[in-house]
Amino acid sequence: MSSADTSTETEAPEEEAPLVDEPREALLGQITAALGDAVVGSHIRPLDDLWVRVDRDAWPQAAAELKALGYDFFDYLSAIDWLPSPYGRDMDAQEDLAVHGGEPKDPGPLQQGYAGGDTRFQVIGRLYSIAAGMGVHLKADIADDDLRIGSWTPHFRGANWHERECFEMFGITFDGHPNLIKLYLPADFQGHPLRKDFPLLSRRVRPWPGIVDVEPLPGEGDDEGEGE
């Protein structure tokens, strides 16, 4: 082929090299060195954040190790219920179907997000290093038949309030918490309102605004003024 010939083949575009976030890669290495096999999953979103999933038994140790590494600012702690819609808090929830006689729907598989997971419930907490200028999310699976995990309060006093809220809203017990009582609801309140399958009784009394409270357009569904 001469230099004047033109190839009919389309040149493949050059693939961009994946971003490497060296500080977070290094931090993940430190966490893995400290916790060993207790690190069961991880995910780095370059230049943004790091998620590390640890074994439930290593949850308090993970907090202690991160604190020793300089991640001594407690940001938050909560839980995630990965039960998907239609068991979610929408108008197709199973409780609505039970009330109105609808057919149950397949809830679909669980998808636990960054760093993976094996259970419906996960505890998630975030610690931050002011000196390093970055944070890390820690996650742990909670067995459906044993909703317990160790408390972070011995390492971060700020976790006290968050663990009480998590206990109240998701029903997860934090072993070692000094005062695990409800924050918002009466002591004898039954159920955990932030679980996806918690029945929202307010919908039985009055469906969501915006679904039925739409005002009719002029001349639609309103006899007022007609016949004059």
Side-chain angles (χ1 to χ4, degrees), residues 77-116:
L77 185 146
S78 188
I80 306 172
D81 179 358
W82 291 106
L83 192 68
S85 182
Y87 290 100
R89 295 190 302 173
D90 58 31
M91 296 302 291
D92 292 328
Q94 292 295 292
E95 291 295 331
D96 295 310
L97 296 173
V99 170
H100 299 294
E103 291 295 328
K105 295 181 179 179
D106 181 0
L110 299 181
Q111 297 180 358
Q112 286 91 347
Y114 292 142

Side-chain angles (χ1 to χ4, degrees), residues 7 108 195:
S7 172
R195 289 188 180 185

Side-chain angles (χ1 to χ4, degrees), residues 65-81:
E65 296 291 353
L66 262 296
K67 189 174 185 179
L69 290 172
Y71 289 75
D72 54 1
F73 179 84
F74 172 81
D75 192 347
Y76 77 91
L77 185 146
S78 188
I80 306 172
D81 179 358

Side-chain angles (χ1 to χ4, degrees), residues 79-83 110 112 118-123 140-144 147 169-172 194-197:
I80 306 172
D81 179 358
W82 291 106
L83 192 68
L110 299 181
Q112 286 91 347
D118 297 316
T119 57
R120 171 182 167 183
F121 293 101
Q122 288 182 319
V123 169
D141 295 349
I142 307 294
D144 294 342
L147 297 177
M169 294 296 163
F170 292 95
I172 295 172
L194 286 187
R195 289 188 180 185
K196 295 287 186 59
D197 53 359

